[in-house]
Amino acid sequence: MRLYRGFSYAESLSDGILINSYRDAPRQPVDTPIFIHKIVDEWFFNNFRVKARSECIFCTPDVSEATKYSAGYSSGVLAEVFFGGESKFLYSASVVDLNMYVYDIGPDKEDIFDWLDAQEYKMVYSPDDIPDDVVSEIMVDCKKYEISILKRWSL
């Protein structure tokens, strides 16, 4: 399965290997309230031993979805992404982008956990193990990853 990632404000980005800096400096949510972000991270850690919302690289098999995170920015980049052997891929076939649901799933921790349980998240060790009909966000736990730039935007 091919995976894509959109980057905003990525003027100096080029093809090659990138380090997952979120392992050392966890990502802060942009669109998700922090308390929901922390609860969701706790659920992923309890179930998969991965803080998926804070420490993973987000990508998608849907190039148009990835484009939303790159087009319209002054130096946006759309790239195909590749991962090595120690990567873990987390996904739910029913959750295209968790940000679409954050205001429908809480605010109580129990409600959020129940909602996440119902989404049937899975963890696999290769993108080829993700069913071809999945078009949802894929959270990848990895040390590093490689990108090949497909398109640049400049406004």
Side-chain angles (χ1 to χ4, degrees), residues 29-91:
V30 175
D31 300 313
T32 305
I34 191 70
F35 75 95
I36 292 177
H37 176 84
K38 288 180 178 181
I39 292 169
V40 173
D41 245 0
E42 181 182 342
W43 183 89
F44 276 105
F45 190 79
N46 290 345
N47 286 276
F48 299 105
R49 293 302 195 227
V50 174
K51 291 183 179 177
R53 304 307 291 183
S54 296
E55 297 179 359
C56 286
I57 299 301
F58 287 74
C59 55
T60 176
D62 183 350
V63 71
S64 63
E65 188 67 25
T67 299
K68 293 178 187 177
Y69 292 89
S70 56
Y73 292 91
S74 61
S75 55
V77 168
L78 174 66
E80 186 170 2
V81 290
F82 308 92
F83 298 92
E86 293 185 26
S87 301
K88 300 173 193 166
F89 300 80
L90 296 110
Y91 70 95

Side-chain angles (χ1 to χ4, degrees), residues 2-15:
R2 296 175 76 169
L3 296 174
Y4 306 94
R5 179 169 167 78
F7 296 86
S8 55
Y9 310 109
E11 187 174 350
S12 63
L13 198 62
S14 60
D15 290 351

Side-chain angles (χ1 to χ4, degrees), residues 59-136:
C59 55
T60 176
D62 183 350
V63 71
S64 63
E65 188 67 25
T67 299
K68 293 178 187 177
Y69 292 89
S70 56
Y73 292 91
S74 61
S75 55
V77 168
L78 174 66
E80 186 170 2
V81 290
F82 308 92
F83 298 92
E86 293 185 26
S87 301
K88 300 173 193 166
F89 300 80
L90 296 110
Y91 70 95
S92 165
S94 62
V95 180
V96 174
D97 183 336
L98 186 65
N99 289 324
M100 296 167 56
Y101 310 96
V102 293
Y103 294 102
D104 298 331
I105 64 173
D108 297 325
K109 181 177 179 175
E110 184 178 320
D111 292 337
I112 295 170
F113 276 22
D114 288 346
W115 187 88
L116 290 165
D117 285 336
Q119 304 316 305
E120 299 181 0
Y121 274 91
K122 295 177 177 41
M123 182 170 72
V124 297
Y125 297 92
S126 168
D128 295 331
D129 294 333
I130 301 168
D132 290 336
D133 60 344
V134 169
V135 293
S136 60

